[in-house]
Amino acid sequence: MRPLWRCRACGAPWPCQPARLTLLAEYRGQRTALLVHLGTLMVEAGDQLGQLTGHARPADLHERFLGWARARTSSGPGDQLGPDGTGSAWRGRSGADDHGTCRAAGATMFHVNPEPGAEIHHTDPFAVPTGQRSPARRLRGRLAAPVTLWTAPGPAGLTVSSTLVAEGEPDRLLGLVDPEADLWTAIEDAGRFAVAPLGPSHRQLADRFAGLFPSPGGLFVTDAWTDTPYGPVPADAGSWAGCRLDTAREYGWALLVEATIETVEIVADTPPLLHHRGRYHQLP
């Protein structure tokens, strides 16, 4: 990320949309602490970007780092994030009305627009406009990919849509993961991990482990899980593989993880959950 201050995963200026959602979840109920943290990073980014370009700090840093993180209640500024720790992109998922109030919990949603009279967005307010995305990113979006869940003892988990199985002696598995994710720390510590292909019924689970859906109490507190030596797997997973970590190296903005498949369990023939053009799909 440093000193260019761009996301390693998507290449967008940091904090990008996934980073903002992660920060909102991490600092749930602690808006002041979030703003202090972002302010510190803003100063650091300004110094580094100014040195790179030989010019003054970029003029948009304040809005880029702090503007989106201001909270607003229906009666005035508040000091807490919304009940699910997310931004307004969660309208419809958390039962929020147009005034930003969560009807189920009676709490206040988190607005990304700090101006008076702002409304909850109906679309993702942090998404990079299509015309500004790199050609490689747009090409990647046109490749349908199976959605898998990687987990490791700890437990830790991450939704991964770049998993590849290579047959051989031994059989191998490869995938691209976020090097800053808790999952990678857990894999490094344990030296092993589990991979489970997800099905159409796992859409919300996939979003939760991708950091795109709130997970109050932790990622594993909901759903049913089967404990394995390699990490928990969804109890209703049709299949899963236990892998031993071989090596990992930086590959683009991600980490290319290479592993040996030590065990495979096929429970049922279930249809896959696919990711294409930013949306989930299933086979007809």
Side-chain angles (χ1 to χ4, degrees), residues 142-176:
R142 285 160 171 75
L143 300 176
V147 182
T148 64
L149 178 67
W150 290 32
T151 62
L158 185 69
T159 303
V160 179
S161 59
S162 56
T163 302
L164 181 67
V165 173
E167 292 182 87
E169 295 183 358
D171 298 320
R172 307 289 301 281
L173 181 141
L174 303 91
L176 296 172

Side-chain angles (χ1 to χ4, degrees), residues 143-241:
L143 300 176
V147 182
T148 64
L149 178 67
W150 290 32
T151 62
L158 185 69
T159 303
V160 179
S161 59
S162 56
T163 302
L164 181 67
V165 173
E167 292 182 87
E169 295 183 358
D171 298 320
R172 307 289 301 281
L173 181 141
L174 303 91
L176 296 172
V177 303
D178 180 357
E180 297 182 358
D182 292 340
L183 171 73
W184 172 239
T185 301
I187 290 177
E188 275 193 306
D189 291 342
R192 60 189 187 277
F193 60 96
V195 175
L198 299 183
S201 64
H202 296 129
R203 293 175 185 236
Q204 190 177 111
L205 182 149
D207 272 350
R208 192 167 73 247
F209 278 85
L212 301 177
F213 198 84
S215 54
L219 292 171
F220 294 90
V221 297
T222 57
D223 301 301
W225 299 91
T226 299
D227 289 328
T228 80
Y230 300 90
V233 298
D236 58 350
S239 58
W240 66 274

